[in-house]
Amino acid sequence: MNASVATVRNDLDNCLANPARRAYALPTPAGLRESLPVQPALAARIQAQRAAVRAVLDGTDDRLLVITGPCSLHDRESALDYGRRLAALNEELGDRLLIVMRAYVEKPRTTVGWKGLLHDPRLDGGNDLHAGLHAARSLLIELGELGLPLATELLSPMAAPYLEDTLSWAAIGARTTESQTHRELVSGLDLPVGFKNGTDGDLGTALDAMQAAAHSHTQFGTDDHGRAALVATAGNPDTHLILRGGRAGPNCDAASVRAAAERLADSPINPQLVVDCSHANSGKDPLRQSTVADDVVAQRRAGERALAGIMLESHIETGKQALSPALQYGVSITDACLGWSETQQLLRRLAAG
Ligand SMILES: O=C[C@H](O)[C@H](O)COP(=O)(O)O
Ligand SMILES: C=C(OP(=O)(O)O)C(=O)O
């Protein structure tokens, strides 16, 4: 156990008399929000940014939604560097693209691995969640102050109340779309949320998730002061499908998009969808994301009205690196990303299209 985790250890420790489980106190959502507040001007801008994303998703704004940024944020400096570059590009392209910065602070893992800045901010296996909550929230606020809407994956339902007021869009990932707990979480969020299709490529789990999240629920949870609570949620009407491909390959070609759109048209929820150009749609080859994105724009030009947006994994440099004490600046430590110069060219091309 690392030292700073030890300092927050308290009498929650061993409270269940279960040697397999230990608990360490954390700040409450209310406490963290009080020490790292979103200032009123930023809060108002985030409300407007959520409304702008909703307008693209309900088809009243025909700009292309582009959610782009590192697979994961692992250091403050390169995240802010990327955010500044993207904010400057947005000045040029914002009338044709609705650009949202991907700011992922939690990572789902296929088996085990680094779980994101929020869980392990020093990247050393220390898992100092206390420091991670602080690092993640303060970085999201700094990025928000640069002017762009922010997107993240909400992985741990317990983490959402610490972060949600900084976000304009969130994803539920392929590994958690089928989870009742995550659907219930989304039902209580006042922001647009995309559900990924499953890692096996099945769309049914995401379509079911959209219906479940649109419903009201009562669920086990905690209040903003960390007390156990019955949490009642109203239902979230602003969810949509994200096509990310699956084990059998991509699902972003025109026929797959049309088939998905027809299934959505039969469901009572949002008929618009977003294509994740990475993951199984790119075969995890970062450069292929450009081909996928170009094809999405070509499909829109050919009249496909269901396509509202794309997601890109993009960083300062192309590729990825293994986690080590000597990290290269601006290179992803999770999935391989498109570099900034290719991203810039791609976004200009998408805007022109
Ligand atoms: O986007 C990131 C990864 O695809 C996802 O977190 C799974 O990562 P892993 O298979 O490397 O664990
Ligand atoms: C993990 C991610 O995607 P997926 O859930 O599609 O694997 C991601 O976008 O970081």
Side-chain angles (χ1 to χ4, degrees):
M1 180 180 27
N2 89 27
S4 64
V5 171
T7 57
V8 296
R9 184 171 161 175
N10 73 357
D11 61 356
L12 293 170
D13 197 6
N14 289 330
C15 56
L16 299 178
N18 172 355
R21 183 165 176 211
R22 291 163 105 69
Y24 307 92
L26 288 173
T28 64
L32 192 69
R33 288 206 298 260
E34 198 180 315
S35 57
L36 290 171
V38 171
Q39 296 301 334
L42 178 56
R45 186 158 73 222
I46 291 169
Q47 288 304 327
Q49 290 169 333
R50 291 177 180 182
V53 176
R54 287 185 179 111
V56 168
L57 291 170
D58 71 20
T60 51
D61 177 344
D62 66 1
R63 283 181 295 171
L64 181 73
L65 175 67
V66 177
I67 299 162
T68 181
C71 174
S72 51
L73 304 184
H74 69 269
D75 80 299
R76 178 177 168 274
E77 201 188 328
S78 67
L80 289 169
D81 182 355
Y82 187 95
R84 285 189 205 101
R85 294 176 192 218
L86 194 62
L89 193 59
N90 183 53
E91 296 287 315
E92 181 189 325
L93 307 179
D95 57 333
R96 284 153 290 158
L97 305 178
L98 176 57
I99 298 177
V100 174
M101 179 168 165
R102 183 181 156 113
Y104 277 37
V105 293
E106 291 187 277
K107 291 309 298 174
R109 304 310 307 226
T110 304
T111 53
V112 290
W114 182 70
K115 287 194 268 186
L117 187 78
L118 184 127
H119 290 267
D120 189 12
R122 288 192 301 276
L123 319 175
D124 61 358
N127 296 312
D128 189 343
L129 190 47
H130 192 156
L133 282 167
H134 200 279
R137 185 172 169 86
S138 58
L139 181 53
L140 289 171
I141 292 173
E142 279 188 276
L143 288 169
E145 296 286 2
L146 298 177
L148 288 175
L150 302 181
T152 204
E153 173 171 344
L154 291 173
L155 178 59
S156 165
M158 295 284 287
Y162 293 93
L163 308 176
E164 65 181 84
D165 57 333
T166 66
L167 304 171
S168 296
W169 181 91
I172 298 298
R175 293 161 187 77
T176 41
T177 281
E178 198 165 4
S179 143
Q180 176 166 316
T181 319
H182 288 78
R183 296 168 175 187
E184 290 171 350
L185 164 70
V186 175
S187 149
L189 294 174
D190 179 27
L191 71 161
V193 178
F195 282 101
K196 297 268 188 107
N197 66 254
T199 51
D200 59 0
D202 180 33
L203 305 189
T205 48
L207 300 179
D208 289 348
M210 289 163 64
Q211 282 199 50
H215 221 270
S216 57
H217 291 273
T218 54
Q219 55 197 284
F220 257 120
T222 51
D223 68 11
D224 279 353
H225 301 283
R227 294 173 296 222
L230 179 156
V231 176
T233 55
N236 186 340
D238 295 318
T239 62
H240 64 88
L241 172 65
I242 306 173
L243 297 178
R244 50 86 77 201
R247 269 179 218 117
N251 58 6
C252 51
D253 58 285
S256 306
V257 167
R258 188 81 302 265
E262 275 159 23
R263 287 183 71 180
L264 281 169
D266 290 339
S267 104
I269 322 288
N270 192 348
Q272 299 287 85
L273 54 85
V274 166
V275 166
D276 174 5
C277 301
S278 190
H279 300 98
N281 277 335
S282 64
K284 291 216 175 188
D285 170 356
L287 298 175
R288 268 197 63 75
Q289 294 186 80
S290 297
T291 314
V292 175
D294 286 331
D295 186 50
V296 166
V297 168
Q299 289 180 44
R300 274 168 61 104
R301 259 206 314 266
E304 179 51 81
R305 298 181 59 81
L307 283 167
I310 58 161
M311 298 182 71
L312 296 171
E313 292 191 304
S314 145
H315 210 328
I316 312 275
E317 307 294 341
T318 301
K320 68 173 182 176
Q321 62 188 323
L323 190 46
S324 79
L327 287 177
Q328 214 186 314
Y329 179 76
V331 180
S332 173
I333 60 167
T334 47
D335 279 353
C337 290
L338 202 59
W340 177 252
S341 91
E342 295 89 350
T343 303
Q344 218 177 182
Q345 284 169 25
L346 173 63
L347 265 53
R348 291 205 171 99
R349 208 161 61 235
L350 297 179

